Every structure is written in structure tokens, then in C-alpha cells.
């Protein structure tokens, strides 16, 4: 996807603070952090949103969660707790249409959401 912001970040065409990279996934700090730790975990392969996920994407999405767990531990927020969010579609506040998992933590969060 030539005009996708996160594809450009993954390719290194737009600078970002990367915290993790492997053959399937890249993770970088959100430019407007909503918590002391706010990391976006993104598949290297472009998928618009959960709405267009297929069975083939299942292992990849599982891998996003395992990377989130690893990063939560590395950021020292695993014990205190953290939130994983996947905004899907405009009403949920999705602004970048390349599927991503928000990892948020480091301070108490309000509940419920919205
Ligand atoms: P969404 O609202 O689609 O769930 O999340 C998109 C996230 O991407 C937002 O939290 C926003 O702050 C973040 N973001 C937007 N542009 C950039 C950018 O250029 N670099 C980084 N690191 N994050 C971005
Ligand atoms: Zn993309």
C-alpha cells in the first residue's frame, strides 16, 4: 500500500521510535501517547482492519498479542496491568487503516471506555 502511513513507517520511509521488529511484526511508540507507555504493534503485511481479516491472518494476529505481552514485560507494566485496543472503523476512532494493536499502560486507566 503505497499511501499507507504505517507501511511507510515499517519500510523506514517515515521516522518512528521503533521498539521491536521481526519478520511478521513491527512495533513503535505512538506519536501522541495516551499513557506513559503507548506502543503500536503492527503487522508488516498491510491489512486494512479487523473487518477484512481472513482465516489466513489468524496466526499473525495471535503473534501481535504475544509481542504485546513481551513488550509489556519489557516496559515493566505487565504486573501493574495494561490495555490492548484494536479500533475498527470510524465510529471506534480508527484513523490509520492498517490494522494495529495499541499497548497502553503505566498509569491507572478509567473504565468503562468510550
Ligand atoms: P487509531 O486511531 O487508528 O486506532 O490509531 C492510530 C494511532 O496512530 C494514533 O494513536 C496516532 O497518535 C498514531 N499516529 C498517527 N500518525 C503517526 C505517526 O506518524 N507516527 C506514529 N508513531 N504514530 C502515529
Ligand atoms: Zn499499510
Amino acid at each position: 500500500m503505497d499511501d499507507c502511513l504505517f507501511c511507510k513507517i515499517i519500510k523506514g520511509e517515515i521516522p518512528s521510535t521503533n521498539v521491536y521488529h521481526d519478520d511478521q511484526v513491527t512495533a513503535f511508540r505512538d506519536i501522541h501517547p495516551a499513557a506513559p507507555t503507548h506502543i503500536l504493534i503492527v503487522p508488516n503485511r498491510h491489512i486494512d482492519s479487523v473487518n477484512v481479516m481472513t482465516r489466513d491472518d489468524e496466526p499473525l494476529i495471535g503473534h501481535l498479542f504475544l509481542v504485546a505481552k513481551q513488550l509489556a514485560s519489557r516496559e515493566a507494566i505487565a504486573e501493574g496491568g495494561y490495555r490492548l485496543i484494536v479500533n475498527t472503523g470510524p465510529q471506534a476512532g480508527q484513523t490509520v487503516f492498517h490494522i494495529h494493536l495499541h499497548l497502553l499502560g503505566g498509569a491507572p486507566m478509567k473504565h468503562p471506555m468510550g
Side-chain angles (χ1 to χ4, degrees):
M1 292 290 277
D2 291 345
D3 59 348
C4 170
L5 176 66
F6 286 175
C7 282
K8 286 182 182 163
I9 286 178
I10 291 158
K11 283 189 268 179
E13 293 172 7
I14 290 177
S16 65
T17 308
N18 280 25
V19 294
Y20 181 88
H21 179 77
D22 67 23
D23 60 331
Q24 296 182 76
V25 162
T26 301
F28 47 91
R29 296 198 188 276
D30 197 292
I31 204 166
H32 297 303
T37 290
H38 189 174
I39 292 170
L40 303 172
I41 305 155
V42 176
N44 296 338
R45 177 161 58 80
H46 183 95
I47 303 167
D48 273 31
S49 79
V50 171
N51 279 337
V52 296
M53 259 186 75
T54 67
R55 197 42 86 71
D56 288 348
D57 301 322
E58 254 189 315
L60 176 60
I61 300 307
H63 186 58
L64 288 188
F65 276 79
L66 280 179
V67 170
K69 170 191 157 182
Q70 213 175 306
L71 291 175
S73 174
R74 201 198 282 173
E75 294 279 314
I77 58 171
E79 291 296 316
Y82 53 92
R83 191 170 283 170
L84 297 173
I85 298 174
V86 182
N87 294 325
T88 304
Q91 289 206 338
Q94 186 177 6
T95 57
V96 179
F97 281 77
H98 179 134
I99 202 169
H100 52 280
L101 186 59
H102 293 256
L103 166 63
L104 293 150
M109 279 173 267
K110 291 197 178 79
H111 192 77
M113 293 177 282

